[in-house]
Amino acid sequence: MATVDLKDVRKVYAGGVEAVKGVSIAIPDKALCVLVGPSGCGKSTLLRMIAGLETITGGTCAFDGKVVNAIGPTERDIAMVFQNYALYPHMKVYDNMAYGLRNRGTPKDEIERRVHETAKILELSHLLERRPRELSGGQRQRVAMGRAIVRNPKVFLFDEPLSNLDAKLRGQMRVEIKNLQRSLGVTSVYVTHDQLEAMTLADILVVMNAGQVEQLGNPLDIYEKPASTFVASFIGAPPMNLLPVTDVKFSDGTVISAPAQATTLGFRPEDADVTQRSSGDGLALDATVEGVEPVGAESFLYCAAAGQRVVVRVAGRSSHELGEKLTVTARPEKLHWFDSNGKRAG
Amino acid sequence: MAEPSSGSDKLMIGQSRTGIYVAHAVLILGILIVAFPIYYTFVASTHSLQTILRPPLPLLPGDRFIENYSEALFGGVGRIGGVPVSTLLFNTTVVALGIAIGKIIISILSAYAIVFFRFPLRMTFFWIIFITLMLPVEVRILPTYKVMVDLGMIDTYAGLIVPLIASATATLLFRQFFLTIPGELVEAARVDGAGPFRFFKDILLPLSRTNIAALFVILFIYGWTQYLWPLLVTNDNQMNTIVIALKKMVSFADADTEWHLVMVTSMLAIVPPILVVVLMQRWFVRGLVETEK
Ligand SMILES: Nc1ncnc2c1ncn2[C@@H]1O[C@H](COP(=O)(O)OP(=O)(O)OP(=O)(O)O)[C@@H](O)[C@H]1O
Ligand SMILES: [Mg+2]
């Protein structure tokens, strides 16, 4: 149990690459903080600096108010789950889980009790005598989790722990990780580039881009009020439609009324609607259906509008045909405006 | 083993029965060609000197197996100062084991340092080790001999072993293997509180067993068959290795050579390397099967 405080943390790699450019995040006790962002934005680097596996070249990282910049991963009392699990291939599951405790000089019977307890929580009890190569991917993932949990550390760190699992298993494990983290109450930092994982797991969501924090906060707040076009297109699937304001003309040629400075208009596929005729207020775009993607409970219409491709979500099975002309509408309160720097306006 | 039992199932796709017969015939011929001299040596080792010196040599083993072998092993061979072959076997085993184990220890430690630690002049050291590849014993034989004489290590096991221990090849092999160990594994061990020594002992050594086994076989045979260096550094017949002794047993004059004992010694000289290969093979085959992910 600990709070984690990052203050203006920076990382410049030996070659001069600036991977993290001043990140400040305060993670309260027992919270799960998710770092999300595109590949190469510095998520792993930041996580590894929290772990103590990478030196911090600027700023401070503090656990419970105590700066830990200078101490190693062992003394920081963290546990980490790696993307490829990093299980010791020559050790049985039991020993994989017990290894960290042994190195800390935990008494034998205590180790045995804790390993069995953890194995029970993760339903690994019948696998304790196997070696990692005799396990399925999902089971290996559980062992990696078990190895982290059994030590009862101050902080859990996860680096894309589910990215090697298939979609169904990933969904299951996501729920399981969330429940475990809740019940154990261990402060956690979780790196992913899957926005669904990010949305569902996070108490605090941190959207990163090019070594910087783009937006930080409650995941639903971020979804509802993205601070920039980057966040808007990163959070939510399919991504938000973004159109230059000047291109959004109504049939009579008038430009949509936008807040001052706004140059980009955004609306989410799920906030839009399609009708045959234009409605009164809000957005109404003439569009042509270019593609239909039925997913089951919903369908996505890909339309050409305002010289761009626009995605609209419609519930259930879609009756629209290719080439059909229609109007894409969205209510005014569902519109997002961004200025010329991509920042939120109005 | 869930192997298909019926013969035809073992055929690989695209293989005809004739093809298999031809392949086997070629292989069997090869084995005969390679194995015949060894068999003939064995046959010779079971006949008396008189029989050997009166050609043709019979193709079947004679009746002097026990006499010849016990004479050589325990009686002492005249031409090499009456030293029994058992002493030679012991000497050579010590030397071969010393070289193999010494080389493995030195090279695994230096590879560990080079791969997992960042220290000043790391790459310089690496290149220095690499360059020694180009300086085999034969090239540095004079200075090494001088050093051995000055240190009084002529006719000692240490003198036989130490100069041959440094091994760039084994270091490079271990280095290549260590480089394939994923960084995540190293970091997981760090997070688990394993310091450099624990990491080496608990993770690196067990993962390297296959490599160690394979290297041990190669290096043991390398040590067993050393010729030039043992020849230089031993004067005392008691300190001879088996290869040197074999050479000394053979005289220019045919009649002076106790051929039956030479044959016995030759047979005995190949037994330990074969044992090492057979025993260790089981080890590293298992290792190979196990490391497959
Ligand atoms: N050891 C290193 N030396 C130099 N540059 C590095 C090193 N490790 C990472 N980088 C660089 O730092 C940047 C951030 O890398 P990082 O691994 O943190 O990205 P990431 O957000 O985790 O990406 P991904 O989602 O693909 O894992 C990248 O541009 C990368 O090339
Ligand atoms: Mg990463």
Side-chain angles (χ1 to χ4, degrees):
Chain A
M1 331 290 116
T3 62
V4 176
D5 273 292
L6 302 178
K7 285 215 178 67
D8 198 31
V9 171
R10 286 164 192 279
K11 176 72 190 183
V12 182
Y13 277 113
V17 181
E18 197 176 10
V20 176
K21 304 168 184 165
V23 167
S24 303
I25 309 171
I27 308 169
D29 192 17
K30 298 187 168 72
L32 176 71
C33 169
V34 175
L35 306 178
V36 70
S39 190
C41 70
K43 308 178 295 284
S44 299
T45 305
L46 186 60
L47 191 78
R48 290 158 48 76
M49 283 195 284
I50 301 174
L53 294 168
E54 205 74 73
T55 53
I56 300 174
T57 54
T60 58
C61 169
F63 289 2
D64 280 331
K66 205 175 122 258
V67 174
V68 293
N69 280 31
I71 62 179
T74 316
E75 293 77 36
R76 285 193 197 187
D77 198 13
I78 51 111
M80 189 151 171
V81 178
F82 296 86
Q83 181 169 4
N84 297 309
Y85 316 140
L87 300 178
Y88 310 120
H90 57 293
M91 291 188 196
K92 291 181 178 153
V93 169
Y94 181 93
D95 298 310
N96 261 288
M97 286 164 73
Y99 189 59
L101 292 171
R102 276 188 201 135
N103 287 339
R104 265 155 241 257
T106 317
K108 226 182 162 116
D109 46 346
E110 164 90 359
I111 293 181
E112 202 169 323
R113 191 180 59 72
R114 273 162 73 169
V115 171
H116 281 118
E117 211 166 80
T118 311
K120 208 157 138 200
I121 298 175
L122 290 167
E123 293 162 31
L124 287 171
S125 301
H126 59 295
L127 300 174
L128 286 177
E129 290 304 307
R130 298 228 196 138
R131 276 169 221 275
R133 68 166 184 286
E134 298 158 352
L135 301 177
S136 72
Q139 290 167 334
R140 279 181 214 173
Q141 217 285 326
R142 276 164 191 280
V143 177
M145 293 278 304
R147 188 170 64 177
I149 293 172
V150 77
R151 287 230 325 271
N152 194 15
K154 271 194 198 146
V155 180
F156 280 147
L157 303 172
F158 300 87
D159 194 350
E160 307 197 21
L162 305 183
S163 58
N164 284 336
L165 302 181
D166 68 58
K168 186 162 168 242
L169 207 52
R170 206 180 304 159
Q172 278 174 17
M173 283 308 290
R174 200 168 63 213
V175 176
E176 211 160 309
I177 287 181
K178 180 79 188 169
N179 290 343
L180 265 174
Q181 195 270 337
R182 279 261 169 76
S183 61
L184 296 170
V186 178
T187 316
S188 306
V189 184
Y190 188 109
V191 165
T192 179
H193 54 228
D194 180 322
Q195 62 93 27
L196 183 65
E197 240 169 63
M199 289 297 293
T200 48
L201 283 174
D203 295 319
I204 304 169
L205 182 59
V206 180
V207 184
M208 289 182 64
N209 183 23
Q212 279 168 322
V213 173
E214 279 276 334
Q215 194 172 4
L216 179 157
N218 176 290
L220 285 177
D221 290 348
I222 293 179
Y223 173 83
E224 278 160 15
K225 272 190 172 344
S228 63
T229 47
F230 175 82
V231 179
S233 55
F234 199 82
I235 300 294
M240 184 183 280
N241 298 302
L242 293 170
L243 305 170
V245 167
T246 45
D247 287 355
V248 184
K249 294 201 178 69
F250 294 111
S251 346
D252 59 2
T254 55
V255 177
I256 193 165
S257 68
Q261 280 127 39
T263 56
T264 307
L265 158 74
F267 63 95
R268 295 203 179 271
E270 51 273 35
D271 292 336
D273 221 336
V274 286
T275 51
Q276 245 66 40
R277 61 211 135 64
S278 66
S279 67
D281 54 357
L283 177 77
L285 272 178
D286 290 331
T288 316
V289 179
E290 283 191 330
V292 183
E293 212 176 65
V295 187
E298 58 199 14
S299 305
F300 294 103
L301 297 184
Y302 293 84
C303 310
Q308 306 253 343
R309 173 159 276 203
V310 166
V311 189
V312 180
R313 191 200 87 116
V314 293
R317 186 184 282 247
S318 153
S319 55
H320 299 279
E321 277 158 28
L322 294 192
E324 189 179 334
K325 298 247 186 285
L326 39 68
T327 308
V328 173
T329 60
R331 302 182 52 75
E333 68 272 18
K334 295 290 188 191
L335 298 183
H336 305 262
W337 304 98
F338 301 96
D339 66 17
S340 52
N341 297 321
K343 299 285 167 235
R344 192 172 185 86
Chain B
M1 287 281 130
E3 257 177 32
S5 49
S6 86
S8 63
D9 284 351
K10 285 192 184 141
L11 285 176
M12 281 207 283
I13 294 167
Q15 244 180 359
S16 72
R17 210 157 261 285
T18 343
I20 289 182
Y21 289 139
V22 171
H24 276 77
V26 171
L27 287 175
I28 289 168
L29 187 70
I31 289 173
L32 286 179
I33 291 172
V34 172
F36 184 72
I38 296 173
Y39 172 74
Y40 214 46
T41 309
F42 173 72
V43 169
S45 75
T46 58
H47 285 283
S48 67
L49 181 58
Q50 285 71 29
T51 324
I52 299 174
L53 287 179
R54 203 176 44 237
L57 184 66
L59 272 175
L60 290 175
D63 54 354
R64 299 189 46 95
F65 178 81
I66 295 176
E67 284 101 319
N68 284 354
Y69 278 78
S70 59
E71 185 189 347
L73 270 175
F74 310 111
V77 181
R79 282 199 53 87
I80 51 166
V83 177
V85 176
S86 54
T87 308
L88 300 176
L89 282 174
F90 177 77
N91 287 347
T92 322
T93 308
V94 170
V95 171
L97 279 179
I99 290 175
I101 295 172
K103 267 182 188 277
I104 287 174
I105 291 177
I106 296 260
S107 52
I108 202 170
L109 288 177
S110 34
Y112 180 45
I114 284 173
V115 175
F116 292 101
F117 294 87
R118 301 280 163 272
F119 51 90
L121 299 183
R122 185 172 129 264
M123 282 322 276
T124 315
F125 282 112
F126 173 69
W127 284 109
I128 290 175
I129 293 175
F130 192 76
I131 284 169
T132 60
L133 263 184
M134 289 142 215
L135 295 172
V137 176
E138 289 74 9
V139 176
R140 52 187 162 89
I141 208 149
L142 278 176
T144 316
Y145 185 73
K146 176 81 168 71
V147 170
M148 289 297 121
V149 172
D150 291 349
L151 291 177
M153 282 163 80
I154 301 297
D155 279 334
T156 62
Y157 288 128
L160 279 164
I161 296 169
V162 174
L164 298 178
I165 274 187
S167 173
T169 327
T171 309
L172 289 177
L173 254 150
F174 279 121
R175 174 178 176 266
Q176 286 319 111
F177 170 65
F178 289 169
L179 287 176
T180 66
I181 290 181
E184 278 192 357
L185 201 64
V186 183
E187 291 176 349
R190 273 181 77 192
V191 170
D192 263 347
F197 181 71
R198 282 228 174 95
F199 174 70
F200 182 74
K201 172 173 80 73
D202 294 339
I203 307 217
L204 220 46
L205 268 189
L207 288 180
S208 312
R209 351 172 255 226
T210 336
N211 291 271
I212 294 177
L215 262 179
F216 180 82
V217 171
I218 295 166
L219 295 177
F220 183 87
I221 292 170
Y222 165 85
W224 190 266
T225 54
Q226 277 302 304
Y227 179 70
L228 187 57
W229 183 249
L231 188 65
L232 279 179
V233 86
T234 56
N235 299 322
D236 184 355
N237 281 326
Q238 285 288 340
M239 287 303 293
N240 275 341
T241 61
I242 203 156
V243 179
I244 306 299
L246 258 177
K247 172 77 181 87
K248 286 188 185 171
M249 278 183 205
V250 181
S251 162
F252 286 115
D254 229 10
D256 265 1
T257 308
E258 295 169 289
W259 280 112
H260 60 303
L261 296 185
V262 172
M263 293 303 153
V264 170
T265 314
S266 302
M267 285 315 293
L268 291 174
I270 50 178
V271 171
I274 289 179
L275 275 183
V276 165
V277 170
V278 170
L279 293 178
M280 296 302 272
Q281 195 181 25
R282 277 177 41 211
W283 241 76
F284 63 71
V285 167
R286 195 183 63 191
L288 287 180
V289 175
E290 272 185 4
T291 41
E292 145 256 0
K293 206 175 160 220

